[in-house]
Amino acid sequence: MANGTNEATGPHDRSARVLDPAYVLDVESNTVEELRSKHAECLELETEVSYVRRLTQARIDILEAEIRRRSTGGSLEDLIQ
C-alpha cells in the first residue's frame, strides 16, 4: 500500500467507495474495529483531498498573478515581487 492506495484500487476508487451511501449504510451492524477503520480511512482521504486542494489553489494564485501581470504590462520581476 503506497500513499493510502493499493494496486487494486486507486485514489479515485477509494473516494468513490467512501462517498457511496452504502459505505455508512447499516453502520449499527459494524464492529467497533470496522467503524474505527472506516473512520481512519475517511480521515486519511480528507487529508489527501485537503492537500490537493491547497496545491490547486496555489496553481490558481500563480495563474491569476500572471494574468494580472500581463494585463497591466508588468515584467516578470513584478510577478516575483
Side-chain angles (χ1 to χ4, degrees), residues 47-65:
T47 299
E48 292 170 10
V49 168
S50 178
Y51 177 72
V52 170
R53 187 204 61 76
R54 288 191 311 269
L55 288 177
T56 303
Q57 185 61 52
R59 301 298 195 271
I60 291 167
D61 293 345
I62 291 167
L63 295 169
E64 287 176 347

Side-chain angles (χ1 to χ4, degrees), residues 1 37 76:
M1 211 168 179
S37 177
L76 284 178

Side-chain angles (χ1 to χ4, degrees), residues 21-32:
Y23 190 77
V24 293
L25 193 64
D26 200 31
V27 293
E28 62 274 0
S29 67
N30 291 146
T31 67
V32 172

Side-chain angles (χ1 to χ4, degrees), residues 10-26:
H12 298 293
D13 295 335
R14 188 170 68 151
S15 296
R17 189 179 73 254
V18 167
L19 294 175
D20 186 325
Y23 190 77
V24 293
L25 193 64
D26 200 31

